[in-house]
Every structure is written in C-alpha cells, then in structure tokens.
Amino acid sequence: MNRTLRVNDAICPAGSDLVLYQVVDPHPRGGSIKLFNLDKHQEDYIAWADINQALVDGTLVLKRKNAPRVSPAEQDDPKFAEELRTAMEQVKSIKAIQRKFNVSFSKAYAIATSDSRHAVTDIAWKSRATLSRYLISDRNGVPLLRGSKNKGNRTPRYGQAVVDLVVQSARTLYLRVGSRWALCDLVHYINDQARHRGLIGYDQKISQLYIKKTIHTHASVDPEKSRMDGKLVAAAKSIGANRVVARIPFERVEQDAVHLPFKAMTKHGVAETIYLIHAIDCCTSMPLGWHLVIGHPSESDGLRCIESTLFPKPHAFERLGLDPKHDRYGSPLMLVFDNGPEAKGERISNLTRLGIDPMHCKSHHAHGKPFIERLNKSLKEAIQVLPGCTRMDRKDGMRDPIALGDVLMTVQELESWIVRWYYESWANTPLTRHLRMDFLDETNLGSTPAERWKTITEDLMTPMPTSPSIKEWRSALYTHHERVLNRKTGVTIEGINYRGPNLPILLSRLGEEKVKILVDPDDVRQVYVNEGEDCRLVALIGDFVSDSTPAYSFSQIKEVLQREREQKRDTELMVAFRRDMHEASVTEITSKSPRGRKARREKARAVESAVRHTAAIKRAESSAPVSASGTPAQPAQLQTARVTDPQPQEADRKERPLSETFKRLPVINRHDGKEMK
C-alpha cells in the first residue's frame, strides 16, 4: 500500500471528524506542501516534516476516500493477516510480470496462471476480478483487504431525536445521585415516550443495550459514578497515581479501624459491634500494634493502639497465651490515618512532640493507605470461618450466627485468633508487592513480612528507632495542670483529691508550692507530678481508689455523677419536713418595719439589750445573789424584801424601764473629748 499523500486527502484532529486541512498538492516545494485550510478558507504551505510528525504523534489523522475505518493493524485476526499476506504476494507477482513483459493486467494474469513458475504460494490464484480490485486498492493507497471489523451497517440505527431523548431522560432521571430509577425503568420510560412522540412504531422497541451504549457515548462513560454519593466516589473510583514505597522499617506506618463482622460473648452479654484498630509497617508489611474495641472507637482507643506500636507488650502476648518473641515495636517517622473518630483530636496532633509526623488521608480515599486496607481485607477473609461471623459470600452482615446456632467465642478468644493470624499466617505469606520490589532492590530482602524484617534488622543490621520514654509519652499526650501541694488534700483535680503514699515524699522535697500535674483523661485513678526535667514522674492516688477500682475516664465519672443527680429524688419525709419549716417561717406582717440603716441598727441594739437583760434575770433566778458581807443571802430575807415592797403586784406586773435600771453612760465628743449635753 502506497502511503504517499494524495490530492484531496483530508487531515483531521484526532478523535474528530472535522476536516482541518485538505491536500491540494502533495509535491513538496522547499520542504513544504500545499494544503487548503478549511477554517480560514485559504491555501497554506506547511512543512512536510511537521505534518508527518503530527501524524506520527497521533495529534492529526489522515483520512482517505474508500479507506477502512478500522485499519488492518488494529485487527488482531491471524486468519485475516494470512489472507492479506497472500493477496499482497499475488499483487506483487502480477505487477512484476507487467513490468517484465510490458503487458496489461489481463496478459499478466494469463501468464501468471498458466505458468507454474510464477506461483508465489501454494494457494491457488485469486480470480481475475478479485485481483483487479486488489490492484485498484493498491493504486489508490488503501489496504487490499478491509477485514471483518469493517463489516456491517455503519449508519445510525435511530435518528438524532431518539439519541436526544435517551440522553435527556438519562440525565434527568437516571444519572442523579441517589436516583430511584433503575436502568430497566429507564428503558420502559424511553420506549413509552418514543412511541408517544412517533419516533418509533408501536411494534418497535429500543433495546436496553442500545440505550446503555448511547448513555456511555453521549452522557456518561461511568453511570455508576454519576449515581454515587460524592463522598463515596473517591473510595470506589479513585486511582492510585503514585506508588507508596518505604525503604526502612518504621519510615511509614499506617493505622486504621476496621469493623469485625462478628458477634462475641462478654460477661455482660453478646457484643455485636466490634472494631479492631491496628497498625502495619509499610516497609516489611509486619503488623505492629492492635487494640480491640467493643462499640464505636474514639480518640482514646486510637491512642491505645499507638501505645502498643511504640512500646513492648509482653503482657498482651501472655494474656492471649502467645509467644512474646513475635513482638514488634518502635517509634515511626510517619503515622498515616484516615479521618475516623479514632484518629481525630488534639492529643493525636500532639504526636509531633514525640517526633512522629501524623498524616491524615482524605475521607474515603483508600489508596492513601493501601497497606492497611490490604491487611483489613486479608484479615476478614482469613477469619470468616470462625464461629460467630456474620460474613457470607464476601459481604458483612449476611448471616445471623445466633439464629444459626453458632457457639459464640469470647472477645479474648477472638483477639487471640487475630494475633495468631498476624504472626503465624500473614507474617509468613509471600506478598506480590514484595516480589515486585525485588526488581527495584539490588538485594533480595525476601517475599514475606517475616523474611524482610529478619533480613533488614539482622542480616543488614539496620538500626531501629527506639521508643520514647514513658515520661515523654505522658508529657506529650496527658493534659497539663498547675496545683498547690496541700498536706491535707494533696492535689485536687476535677473535685477529686489525690494523695497516696508519695505525698509526704513530695512535700519533703517541694513543700506546699505550685507543682506541674499530668492528668490522663482516660484514667481517673491517679495523676502524676512532674518534679523536674531529669526526674521521674511521681504518682498520686485518688482517695476513692482501691485495687479493684476500674480505670474510668474523667468523662465517664462526670456522666455517672450527673446520672445520679438526675435519679436522686427527695423522700416524702424530707418533703414534709421542708414544708413544715417553710410554713413556720412565713409570718403575717402587721406593720411596716422601719426603713433605713440607722433605724435597723437601733432596733437591733434594742433587741440585743432586751435579750441580754432577760438572760441576766434568768441567771439571777437560777443562782442566789451575793450579800454585802460576801455570803449568799438567805431565802427568808429575800422573802421579807418581797413582802415589804410597797407595790409588789405592780413590780411583778410591769418591769421598770432600762433607763431607770442602769446608769446612762456619758456621750463624749470625739473632736474635743468633752462630754456632750
């Protein structure tokens, strides 16, 4: 096939049928050929090298009359390729006979078919008409054969009105977020509307395949994405553009909370909402820390998982009956979270104080932390055969283990199976990403997490980051307070006194001065006193704490106290007492009390004097008076005195005024000291 440019060849932009240039003269003049610019309606001379380079890059496409829409190069058909090769060989033989004997096509065809020496293949010669068409196609610069990909009717099945109806109906009813319309409903609607408008006959039907293809071509290449909630699009349709690579352990650690499709037994009943927060090292894919949560996780639960990643956890392995030699821990350089509730909060952001860089992915962007997401999937698939699992056919919540008679495991048994799977199965599983990394690494680090961890840490002796001190951990994530040490109450936080056996030691060192207190919001049992930079934290114990006191958080204590206040009700006896007291305190006021501060003071003094006078009389009545001789007076004398009183009835009936009973004191002027009259 001759690929030389020909007159009237059309040059179009890629992906468009709009003709940009038309060849006027393909013969180059000064390295340029003459083209007609259909947009500007003028002839232009453009460098042939530029046109050829654009055709090579694919920015421009050459379209020639009678050329097939699908070129032979795009058709992966071995039989067609063999037929095309045979046709080209026979055409080449006919053209060689024409040049050698200077004869026409008919003479050349007769010579070729009569003399076996001109046979090029074992296949019989094509007919004269077929070879004539091959020669015409070769002369016009088009492929000799078109291939099966160019067969069929290329004209639209329906008119533009039907296409517009499909596109408009799809965008209005189907391609909307949360649409109730399914594709089959849309097909019925479009057929009804097309018949009503007379676009098709009543005995015709627009197929679902045609409607689906039309939507894909003219409305949306991904209808599922158009119907999906925007918050979920990123997780379902996002593309991981950059490969996440970590060269050494703890360079990048990913942490996530995954809902476990299980029902498990606790001492309080059946737990149906179980979450697992765990972390993975991105270099080796080795699990580092975990924390099992009953209910929905919080920031405190996320911090407990981080703590298990940073520090040794032999007690956790012993509690689960596992070998502590599998324990992996250290301080990560970068800790990757999503935006779940367990990864948000002020204390998570304070991880920077420990030299840890906390990075949060966008919501529903699973490709932002691909290692932990792969671990989540593998974990669910591995333990779904255990009793109590609600997972079936790779979907959570599809079965009820209680109704089906499963013997539920305890939460500790479930946790034990998970940790065993971490270090006995997953750690020894060859991972595809490690196999592919071997093409990039000069040294073979191993295909399993355990092999890579051993090679890097033992064979290559790569230094591992150390864990922070407990004091640094608490100083970074606990709340800071300042309180004065008190010999009686110790320190008071949120109304709770903290003392304990360490209080005398602190008082002997620091005295009753202000000290810095570190408080764990998740543990109300004790607080820590920071004595100084080079000193360890000293714990003070709450007054109510015993060995069996649960580690309640301060928020839990507040909720309990608030609940008790709301549930507290006064007894009937208390209400009756308060009612009687209020009735006794209410008196009817018959006269207005004197106003002003001076009147109130005078009335108060008069009341106090009368009370003192009455008290003196009572004391006199309770004890005998002293006579002039210093001996107590006899009762007979007292009786005689009462008899000789000139007016005994008047004296008993009315007391004398205070002014006659006591001598009036002089009033002295404070300026000159003289007595005032």
Side-chain angles (χ1 to χ4, degrees), residues 407-468:
V407 180
L408 301 184
M409 298 183 294
T410 63
V411 174
Q412 183 171 338
E413 289 174 341
L414 176 61
E415 183 179 2
S416 177
W417 279 110
I418 292 172
V419 179
R420 282 192 61 188
W421 177 81
Y422 281 157
Y423 300 106
E424 296 177 9
S425 177
W426 170 265
N428 299 293
T429 301
L431 301 179
T432 304
R433 58 174 172 267
H434 292 337
L435 295 174
R436 292 176 179 174
M437 283 297 296
D438 291 339
F439 293 103
L440 303 177
D441 297 331
E442 295 181 359
T443 57
N444 183 10
L445 300 179
S447 60
T448 67
E451 289 176 354
R452 293 180 75 85
W453 186 277
K454 182 178 181 298
T455 302
I456 294 174
T457 59
E458 298 180 12
D459 299 344
L460 300 180
M461 294 182 292
T462 303
M464 293 290 101
T466 59
S467 304

Side-chain angles (χ1 to χ4, degrees), residues 72 97 128 168-169 182 233 253 262 268-269 275 297 306 417 434 437 526 573 627 630 645 674:
I97 294 173
R128 183 191 301 267
Q168 182 180 2
S169 301
V233 169
V253 174
F262 276 88
H268 304 290
Y275 277 86
I306 297 173
W417 279 110
H434 292 337
M437 283 297 296
Q526 57 189 358
L573 190 61
S627 63
D645 196 334
K674 297 180 179 181

Side-chain angles (χ1 to χ4, degrees), residues 336-365:
V336 184
F337 306 95
D338 56 12
N339 281 287
E342 78 284 351
K344 293 189 294 186
E346 182 179 357
R347 289 190 287 170
I348 292 292
S349 61
N350 288 341
L351 290 173
T352 53
R353 301 178 184 178
L354 299 174
I356 300 174
D357 180 17
M359 188 185 81
H360 290 81
C361 302
K362 295 181 180 179
S363 298
H364 305 288
H365 280 64

Side-chain angles (χ1 to χ4, degrees), residues 209 306 319 510 587:
L209 181 62
I306 297 173
R319 175 175 55 85
L510 305 176
T587 58

Side-chain angles (χ1 to χ4, degrees), residues 9 16 39 90 149 179 249 268 306 414 436 546 579 585 591 599 620 622 657:
D9 280 352
S16 174
D39 187 21
Q90 292 185 358
K149 295 291 184 181
S179 174
H268 304 290
I306 297 173
L414 176 61
R436 292 176 179 174
S546 65
R579 182 174 61 250
S585 65
S591 60
S622 61

